[in-house]
Structure formats: C-alpha cells, structure tokens
C-alpha cells in the first residue's frame, strides 16, 4: 500500500491521470492479426523460395564445373591424339614431292 | 494486465512459437495486439499505416526471437522492450525524419474517434474534442523518452521497476523522467487543470 501511494506521488498525479484517461490509446484494427499472419506467411514463403533457389544454383554451379572439366579433359586427350611424328611429316612431304615430279614428267617438263 | 497464469501461458505460447507453431503466434498477437498497437500509436502521435506496419514488425521480431527467448522477466516487459527499441529506431529513421515530426499527429478526426466521443451532445463533443486534442498535443510534444514512460505508466499500468527494465535505465532515471514529464504536462495543460479544480 505504501509502495503504491509512493508510486502515485511519483506518477502523474490524479488530475493529469484523469485528463490523460480521456484520450485512451487506439485499439488495433480488427484485421490486424490476420494481416500480421499474412505478412509472416509471405516472409516465410520468401525465405523458403530463396532457400530453394540457392540449392539448385549451387547444383548448377557444380554441374557447370563438371562439364567444364570434362571439355578440358577431352581437349587435352584430343590434342595428344593429334600429335604427328616427324617421320609421318617427312613421308607426306616426300609423297608431295614425288607426285610433283611425276606430274612434271608426264607433262614433259 | 498480466496475471501469473497469463504469463505462464505467454511463455508456453513462446515455446510453441519457437517450434514454428503459427496458431500459437496468432493467439499471442490477438492477446497483445491492442497493447502493442496502442503503444506505437501513442508514441507516433496517432493511428495510421506507419503504426500498423511498425506494430506488425514488432510481432514479426517476436516470431524471429522466439527460438532464443529466455524467461528473464514478465513477457509484457520483454514485448514492450522490443516495442521501445523499434519505435525509437523508427524515430531515427530517414523515413520518419522525411515525413516530419508532427505530420502523423495532424489527424483531428482520428483524435475524436480514438477518444470515443461518439453518441454525446454537440457541446460535449466540442469540449471533449478540444480537451482530447490538447492532451494529444501535450503528449506528442513530450520528448520520446518521457512520452514512453508516461504511456507505460498511465496506459499499461506498469510498475516503475518494469518501466526501468523496458527503458534500459535505472529506477531513479525513470522517476526523474516521470517528474519532468509531469512538469511539462502540467505546464501545457494548466488551463484544463484549473478548470477541473473548479
């Protein structure tokens, strides 16, 4: 009781309290809870959508990296298969020279 | 105001909300929406879209904080602390500063509606409206900390100890704020105080 009366003395006082009581705070509109719930659901859906989007994105990144490595490997393998030995080059050049000589002979040059 | 039983129920609801229970969250909103909405409206100087959005944000903060919620004080004290933080942050926001301090309180029709004067005589309406406007204006002109302390004490019926927790201040500090608020309000409403005495 003493504490309460002491609180009253340290409060606004009866007169001011009476005046302020004439202007109570407004109540929340009837739709407030429903709108808040809707906003919560929207936010949660957005969070889930972002979560769903991120996972496949990482998967796509992993798949892209895999394909890049595959192409790189094939190119490396292909390049080694395309190596031509010196003997093959000389043989081809010899064949060209021989063909050229035969053509000249037939032409009577 | 909250009884011991209600606090237990609030805490139980918070435990359910922490597991993602939307129905428990709805119950919590319905239980405390007038308290939160009314506090925000009083602090911002009247009802409006900003008040609704800010009050919703407060409840969404409660949802997000639920997994980490620990019972250290009354639930309403914790809720009002979140409310105070967000309202004060809003005052610091560019949006609020852009709109101007008093724009939201320029709502005479709203004051009449909030004061609940419908159904009275024209003379009563006029006197009531004038008084309501004067009280609203006097409260709106208080510094935000004084306004918050007055609201928590006057409309939420909180003890000074609880108010000190909400405000993050010492008990002496809160009582000093209340003293200054009383002086300011007495000064601004002196005409009406004299009238009520006679």
């Amino acid at each position: 009781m003493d504490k309460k009366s002491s609180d009253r003395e340290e409060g606004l006082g009866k007169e001011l309290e009476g005046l302020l009581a004439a202007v109570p705070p407004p109540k929340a509109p009837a739709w407030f809870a429903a709108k808040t719930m809707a906003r919560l659901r929207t936010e949660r859906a957005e969070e889930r959508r972002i979560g769903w989007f991120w996972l496949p994105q990482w998967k796509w990144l992993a798949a892209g990296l895999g394909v890049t490595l595959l192409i790189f490997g094939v190119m490396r393998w292909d390049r080694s298969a395309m190596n031509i030995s010196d003997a093959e080059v000389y043989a081809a050049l010899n064949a060209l020279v021989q063909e050229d000589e035969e053509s000249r002979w037939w032409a009577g040059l | 105001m909250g009884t011991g039983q209600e606090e237990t129920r609030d805490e139980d609801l918070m435990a359910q909300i922490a597991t993602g229970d939307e129905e428990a969250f709805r119950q919590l909103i319905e239980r405390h929406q007038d308290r939160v909405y009314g506090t925000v409206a009083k602090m911002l100087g009247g009802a409006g879209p900003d008040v609704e959005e800010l009050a919703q944000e407060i409840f969404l903060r409660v949802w997000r904080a639920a997994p980490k919620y620990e019972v250290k004080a009354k639930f309403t004290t914790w809720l009002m602390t979140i409310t105070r933080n967000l309202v004060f942050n809003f005052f610091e926001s560019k949006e609020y500063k852009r709109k101007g301090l008093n724009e939201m309180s320029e709502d005479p029709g709203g004051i009449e509606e909030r004061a609940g004067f419908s159904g009275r005589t024209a003379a009563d309406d006029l006197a009531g409206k004038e008084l309501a406007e004067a009280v609203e204006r006097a409260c709106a002109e208080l510094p935000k900390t004084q306004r918050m302390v007055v609201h928590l004490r006057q409309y939420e019926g909180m003890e000074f100890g609880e108010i000190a927790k909400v405000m993050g201040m010492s008990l002496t500090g809160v009582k000093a704020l209340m003293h200054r608020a009383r002086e300011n309000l007495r000064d601004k409403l002196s005409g009406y105080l004299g009238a009520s005495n006679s």
Side-chain angles (χ1 to χ4, degrees):
Chain A
M1 193 66 187
D2 283 341
K3 186 176 175 290
K4 276 192 176 174
S5 63
S6 155
D7 271 5
R8 183 165 287 281
E9 281 164 23
E10 288 160 340
L12 290 173
K14 264 191 170 179
E15 280 181 308
L16 277 175
E17 283 176 7
L19 282 182
L20 264 65
V23 194
K27 290 191 182 302
W31 60 82
F32 181 80
K35 273 182 86 173
T36 310
M37 291 305 294
R39 190 168 155 187
L40 172 76
R41 287 187 189 119
T42 308
E43 283 196 6
R44 292 187 84 191
E46 182 70 11
E47 279 166 17
R48 273 196 292 269
R49 195 186 65 77
I50 290 168
W52 178 88
F53 179 73
W54 270 104
L55 261 174
Q57 201 172 34
W58 279 107
K59 282 179 185 170
W60 278 115
L61 277 175
L65 188 68
V67 169
T68 308
L69 284 171
L70 191 67
I71 292 168
F72 185 72
V74 166
M75 282 175 70
R76 296 265 307 177
W77 174 81
D78 207 26
R79 194 194 293 173
S80 67
M82 281 183 69
N83 277 350
I84 301 164
S85 66
D86 289 346
E88 283 173 318
V89 173
Y90 293 142
L93 285 172
N94 280 338
L96 278 173
V97 170
Q98 201 173 347
E99 196 181 323
D100 184 56
E101 281 175 355
E102 281 176 6
S103 300
R104 281 169 179 271
W105 184 80
W106 281 108
L109 295 172
Chain B
M1 288 306 292
T3 61
Q5 261 188 328
E6 188 182 312
E7 280 154 40
T8 312
R9 289 202 302 272
D10 283 340
E11 287 153 10
D12 287 346
L13 286 177
M14 284 303 286
Q16 290 170 35
I17 291 166
T19 65
D21 187 339
E22 289 189 3
E23 189 47 44
F25 187 53
R26 176 190 284 278
Q27 280 181 44
L28 194 85
I29 293 172
E30 284 170 354
R31 188 176 296 171
H32 296 288
Q33 60 183 5
D34 287 342
R35 174 177 283 127
V36 170
Y37 187 90
T39 304
V40 175
K42 275 282 175 190
M43 289 303 292
L44 265 57
D50 280 332
V51 173
E52 196 174 324
E53 200 176 318
L54 200 53
Q56 283 176 4
E57 184 57 37
I58 289 162
F59 280 108
L60 293 177
R61 287 283 173 101
V62 168
W63 170 274
R64 289 185 212 119
K68 286 180 260 175
Y69 173 70
E70 287 174 29
V71 184
K72 288 179 181 170
K74 283 169 80 171
F75 175 78
T76 46
T77 308
W78 182 71
L79 183 63
M80 284 295 114
T81 307
I82 294 176
T83 305
R84 189 262 297 170
N85 281 336
L86 284 185
V87 167
F88 283 16
N89 286 347
F90 181 75
F91 282 135
E92 299 304 318
S93 70
K94 285 178 185 168
E95 188 190 359
Y96 179 76
K97 283 174 180 165
R98 184 169 48 80
K99 282 181 176 176
L101 191 67
N102 295 317
E103 188 190 279
M104 278 173 285
S105 60
E106 288 170 3
D107 178 21
I111 289 171
E112 185 182 357
E113 189 184 315
R114 284 193 299 280
F117 290 109
S118 56
R120 296 187 183 186
T121 66
D124 282 348
D125 273 358
L126 196 65
K129 188 181 174 185
E130 188 190 318
L131 172 66
E133 281 178 1
V135 173
E136 283 276 351
R137 204 177 310 114
C139 288
E141 284 169 3
L142 288 175
K144 63 185 179 189
T145 46
Q146 291 180 26
R147 209 181 322 158
M148 189 79 186
V149 168
V150 167
H151 173 80
L152 294 176
R153 180 72 190 155
Q154 171 73 19
Y155 298 110
E156 300 303 324
M158 283 184 155
E159 300 284 330
F160 280 113
E162 285 178 85
I163 298 172
K165 280 180 191 164
V166 170
M167 299 297 289
M169 298 172 77
S170 68
L171 194 62
T172 321
V174 168
K175 286 181 178 177
L177 274 179
M178 180 58 96
H179 176 74
R180 267 178 261 150
R182 185 175 59 214
E183 295 306 308
N184 281 334
L185 288 174
R186 275 191 172 282
D187 187 37
K188 291 177 203 299
L189 298 170
S190 55
Y192 296 96
L193 289 171
S196 71
N197 279 341
S198 58

